[in-house]
Amino acid sequence: MAKKQKSRRAAESNGSSENERVIARNRRALHRYEILRSYEAGISLTGSEIKSARMGRVSIQEAYCRPRDGELFLIGAHIARYEPSGPANHEPTRDRRLLLHKREIRQLEQAFAERGLTLVPLRLYLSRGIAKLEIGVGRGRRVHEKRDRIAERDAQRRIEQALRR
């Protein structure tokens, strides 16, 4: 019983629930961008892609999102080939359609059209067996902002270490 509670606490601290399993994170995005708002989107995957994703063979580090023809697409994400599928395999870096409500797509198109804002994938996870992508609307950070953020983190870490002693 205590073990189950511990795993639930660990899941809550990661920002996910017990039914979610994070497959890939884009840590670089949190460093490069100030995330203003985030959205949860379904992602349209083929059979071999979801099997490869369940094995954790996904990278969203270089990926980004773009609106096209009233839909939103994930571009540049790499989902490795699933070898047991043989010749019916998928293209690892193909554009993948994101599934959102029309209202959310319109909001994201407006944010994308605004100067200085970009759509960044933050994490890919499975929720009750369904692949989901968390998208952030972000504003690029300048070099001095990144340095300030790193200095703040280091100072906070030192304070916490001092308090532990």
Side-chain angles (χ1 to χ4, degrees), residues 26 29 33-39 41 60-68 71-76 98 100 104-114 116-123 133-140:
N26 191 353
Y33 301 98
E34 174 188 356
I35 304 300
L36 306 173
R37 185 158 184 200
S38 64
Y39 293 85
I60 58 172
Q61 294 296 321
E62 301 297 322
Y64 56 95
C65 300
R66 290 285 181 263
R68 188 186 323 147
E71 295 180 334
L72 200 64
F73 287 88
L74 177 66
I75 301 168
L98 299 177
L100 290 145
E104 292 175 328
I105 292 173
R106 271 189 255 114
Q107 288 174 352
L108 289 169
E109 284 176 337
Q110 289 172 353
F112 180 72
E114 188 176 323
L117 295 183
T118 187
L119 307 177
V120 184
L122 301 175
R123 66 186 178 118
L133 183 72
E134 185 178 353
I135 304 167
V137 176
R139 184 180 314 276

Side-chain angles (χ1 to χ4, degrees), residues 148-162:
D148 292 344
R149 188 163 180 255
I150 291 169
E152 287 174 15
R153 244 190 347 232
D154 289 344
Q156 185 65 32
R157 194 174 299 132
R158 286 189 195 115
I159 290 169
E160 288 174 4
Q161 286 175 351

Side-chain angles (χ1 to χ4, degrees), residues 127-144:
S127 177
R128 297 185 189 135
I130 298 172
K132 301 282 185 175
L133 183 72
E134 185 178 353
I135 304 167
V137 176
R139 184 180 314 276
R141 293 182 197 249
R142 295 204 166 88
V143 174
H144 64 85

